[in-house]
Amino acid sequence: MTSDIVLQTEDLSRDFLGFVAVDRVNLRVRRGTIHALIGPNGAGKTTLFHLLTGFLAPSSGRIRYRDRDITRRNPADLAREGLVRSFQISAVFPHLPVRENVRLALQRRRGDSFHFLRSERRLAALDARADELLDAVGLASFASISAAELSYGRKRALELATTLALDPEVMLLDEPMAGLGLEDVALISALIKKVARNRTVLMVEHNLNVIAELSDCITVLMRGQVLAEGDYAGVSANPEVRAAYLGVEDAP
């Protein structure tokens, strides 16, 4: 594992009662890049995310993060070490204020589950950092309102802030554009580009315009296997990718 590879799999596989969802995948994510996983529904993308972040154990193969074997580590340990994921469905506390959502994530980063027993004055010490994170994702003016009052796109922005509160080295984003309108897609794309300046991002995404704009490298999965890998120009011109993912077959 070379120094510029931050996350790597070696013949990683996972089967479910004979159905192979991830089949001997060798993935190499370079430090400081935005790396996209694409493929048709059922290609194994989310299962691979579950494996990388400890929500599933592999049937075989290995996962290495910062040149250490993390194959059977649990999600909480991996998050503390800087490997943090988001999910397809926005995961915020809707009835808490926006700032409180971020503050809870900051408390979790400290590793103390009993901060809620402490005085409001003690907890307020986290507000400065929470406000910095909200400002970074364009939510500074929404700090005091209930998260339920945010638009769906701004809920996604809040989720990015809570992910950043865990101080990730590698952010794994599972379909960050799912359910967003065009205006919100532009907003979240800009935020991902901004927060990726000093981090590594691995994301599952279906929006090819977003993939083309953001990605340094793309891995295409098909039936649990790597079909192709490269930059957008190379991958989009690949005849197998065009047939499998884009539904376009090149003329003979």
Side-chain angles (χ1 to χ4, degrees):
M1 188 170 181
T2 60
S3 60
D4 64 333
I5 302 298
V6 66
L7 184 63
Q8 177 176 353
T9 68
E10 301 170 1
D11 290 330
L12 193 66
S13 297
R14 172 69 194 210
D15 67 81
F16 298 93
L17 299 176
F19 171 73
V20 181
V22 173
D23 189 3
R24 294 166 294 171
V25 167
N26 291 290
L27 179 71
R28 292 161 63 89
V29 179
R30 294 187 179 277
R31 194 182 309 275
T33 63
I34 299 178
H35 192 126
L37 287 173
I38 69 172
N41 290 333
K45 305 181 297 297
T46 296
T47 301
L48 180 56
F49 255 41
H50 288 333
L51 295 171
L52 292 172
T53 50
F55 287 88
L56 279 176
S59 302
S60 60
R62 293 199 307 168
I63 307 166
R64 300 185 68 81
Y65 170 55
R66 295 190 302 199
D67 208 22
R68 297 197 303 272
D69 193 318
I70 60 164
T71 305
R72 300 193 179 275
R73 300 287 299 277
N74 67 60
D77 286 344
L78 293 177
R80 280 191 288 269
E81 292 187 23
L83 193 66
V84 180
R85 73 169 292 179
S86 70
F87 293 85
Q88 292 179 23
I89 300 172
S90 185
V92 299
F93 295 99
H95 301 299
L96 291 179
V98 168
R99 181 188 287 116
E100 183 66 13
N101 269 269
V102 180
R103 196 166 70 172
L104 285 170
L106 289 168
Q107 290 170 218
R108 187 67 188 91
R109 174 63 180 165
R110 289 189 172 191
D112 186 346
S113 60
F114 297 100
H115 272 66
F116 65 90
L117 296 177
R118 298 186 176 184
S119 69
E120 179 65 22
R121 182 180 61 81
R122 292 283 299 276
L123 290 178
L126 299 174
D127 283 351
R129 178 57 180 156
D131 287 342
E132 286 178 11
L133 292 168
L134 290 175
D135 185 58
V137 299
L139 293 178
S141 61
F142 299 91
S144 299
I145 73 169
S146 165
E149 298 177 58
L150 296 176
S151 68
Y152 189 70
R154 289 195 173 107
K155 284 188 177 77
R156 282 297 199 184
L158 177 55
E159 187 178 50
L160 274 178
T162 59
T163 302
L164 291 171
L166 298 175
D167 196 22
E169 179 178 3
V170 179
M171 296 175 65
L172 294 96
L173 307 179
D174 195 357
E175 297 195 32
M177 308 302 164
L180 297 182
L182 289 177
E183 184 177 339
D184 285 334
V185 165
L187 168 69
I188 300 303
S189 292
L191 289 178
I192 290 173
K193 185 181 292 187
K194 180 179 179 181
V195 303
R197 287 173 188 161
N198 57 350
R199 294 177 178 84
T200 304
V201 174
L202 177 64
M203 66 177 183
V204 169
E205 184 51 55
H206 287 291
N207 187 317
L208 292 183
N209 291 327
V210 170
I211 295 297
E213 179 187 354
L214 295 182
S215 301
D216 300 297
C217 184
I218 301 166
T219 298
V220 185
L221 292 182
M222 180 69 176
R223 300 189 185 95
Q225 297 182 324
V226 174
L227 180 65
E229 189 168 270
D231 61 16
Y232 182 81
V235 165
S236 62
N238 184 304
E240 292 181 294
V241 173
R242 289 167 64 82
Y245 186 73
L246 301 177
V248 177
E249 293 192 20
D250 292 339

